[in-house]
């Protein structure tokens, strides 16, 4: 019976599964997690630059989505709502992390920001090593962006969303998204200028 419910849920759209969860069908939550945990983790990782933080954010996002499903409205689509939770949770996590860092590192001379973790390069070719180094530099450079700029950049360049899709996720206009993206790109060009020269 449970496996049949899972099969039925697997054939439904995200919105239909979310409506099933809203109606109290517990298996619907498992289906939504199965479908979207990779995407939520990817956004959280790009936002936090840290595997453990991204896992924490991902877990918190799904807990919040379960608790707040009654607030979700199908007119806006489920994925934009979930990505809004993810970006907001990531921003909150970054703010808490910065506060903790300031509290614990006050007065410690020469202590810089935390180590950036990156996914290890697959294989050992020179191209793979260089690509991994560039990826690490780009990920580290995201720290110079404001939370809004970082959110727009991650959703546009890592998730491939259109500006019109990003605007409702962040609760702003397309014009604001364009401004945030423009400023993010200018800052990243400045941070990564030596890569272009090299």
């Amino acid at each position: 019976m449970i496996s049949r419910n899972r099969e039925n849920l697997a054939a439904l759209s995200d919105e239909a599964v979310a409506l099933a969860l809203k109606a109290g069908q517990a298996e619907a939550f498992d289906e939504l997690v199965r479908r979207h945990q990779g995407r939520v983790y990817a956004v959280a990782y790009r936002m936090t630059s840290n595997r453990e933080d991204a896992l924490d954010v991902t877990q918190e996002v799904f807990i919040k989505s379960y608790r707040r499903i009654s607030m979700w409205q199908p007119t806006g689509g489920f994925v934009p709502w979930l990505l809004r939770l993810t970006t907001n949770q990531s921003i909150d996590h970054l703010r808490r992390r910065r506060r903790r860092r300031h509290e614990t590192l006050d007065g410690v001379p020469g202590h810089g920001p935390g180590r950036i973790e990156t996914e290890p390069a697959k294989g050992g070719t020179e191209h793979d090593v260089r690509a991994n180094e560039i990826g690490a530099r780009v990920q580290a450079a995201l720290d110079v962006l404001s939370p809004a700029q970082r959110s727009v950049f991650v959703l546009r360049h890592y998730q491939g969303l259109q500006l019109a899709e990003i605007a409702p996720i962040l609760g702003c206009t397309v014009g604001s998204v364009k401004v945030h993206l423009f400023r993010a790109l200018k800052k990243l060009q400045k941070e990564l200028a030596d890569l272009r020269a090299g």
Side-chain angles (χ1 to χ4, degrees), residues 12 39 89 100 104 124-125 130 145 160 173-174 191-192 198:
L12 298 176
R39 188 174 202 178
Q89 188 64 36
R100 282 194 307 265
T104 58
T125 67
R130 179 73 176 144
L145 304 181
T173 65
V174 173
E191 287 293 309
L192 302 170

Side-chain angles (χ1 to χ4, degrees), residues 123-191:
T125 67
E126 185 177 331
H127 179 267
D128 291 337
V129 171
R130 179 73 176 144
N132 198 46
E133 287 173 2
I134 291 170
R137 283 287 310 283
V138 171
Q139 187 63 40
L142 292 180
D143 281 344
V144 304
L145 304 181
S146 73
Q149 292 164 359
R150 190 170 183 149
S151 299
V152 169
F153 184 83
V154 167
L155 293 172
R156 178 73 186 104
H157 290 282
Y158 290 112
Q159 291 297 307
L161 299 182
Q162 299 299 314
L163 302 184
E165 295 173 302
I166 296 170
I169 291 171
L170 300 182
C172 63
T173 65
V174 173
S176 294
V177 172
K178 287 180 181 176
V179 169
H180 290 311
L181 184 59
F182 176 78
R183 290 179 179 163
L185 292 172
K186 292 296 277 184
K187 285 183 182 178
L188 290 174
Q189 282 176 348
K190 184 177 177 184
E191 287 293 309

Side-chain angles (χ1 to χ4, degrees), residues 44-154:
Y45 178 78
R46 293 297 178 185
M47 291 288 292
T48 63
S49 302
N50 180 288
R51 223 175 268 130
E52 292 302 316
D53 288 345
L55 288 170
D56 288 346
V57 167
T58 300
Q59 182 177 4
E60 197 60 39
V61 165
F62 282 109
I63 289 169
K64 283 188 175 179
S65 71
Y66 183 82
R67 290 179 180 160
R68 297 180 182 179
I69 194 66
S70 62
M71 299 165 62
W72 170 74
Q73 297 300 318
T75 53
F78 179 75
V79 170
W81 182 74
L82 187 65
L83 291 178
R84 185 179 314 126
L85 286 178
T86 305
T87 54
N88 289 342
Q89 188 64 36
S90 297
I91 290 167
D92 289 347
H93 193 88
L94 288 170
R95 287 179 181 145
R96 284 194 304 271
R97 189 170 76 184
R98 283 192 188 110
R99 274 198 303 270
R100 282 194 307 265
R101 187 179 295 155
H102 287 300
E103 288 167 6
T104 58
L105 298 180
D106 277 348
V108 179
H111 199 290
R115 182 172 64 105
I116 300 295
E117 295 182 22
T118 58
E119 301 293 332
K122 303 281 189 269
T125 67
E126 185 177 331
H127 179 267
D128 291 337
V129 171
R130 179 73 176 144
N132 198 46
E133 287 173 2
I134 291 170
R137 283 287 310 283
V138 171
Q139 187 63 40
L142 292 180
D143 281 344
V144 304
L145 304 181
S146 73
Q149 292 164 359
R150 190 170 183 149
S151 299
V152 169
F153 184 83
V154 167

Side-chain angles (χ1 to χ4, degrees), residues 4-13 17 31 34-35:
R4 174 166 279 192
N5 281 346
R6 285 184 186 148
E7 288 171 18
N8 292 341
L9 288 168
L12 298 176
S13 69
V17 177
E31 178 64 20
R34 184 190 67 74
R35 289 183 188 189

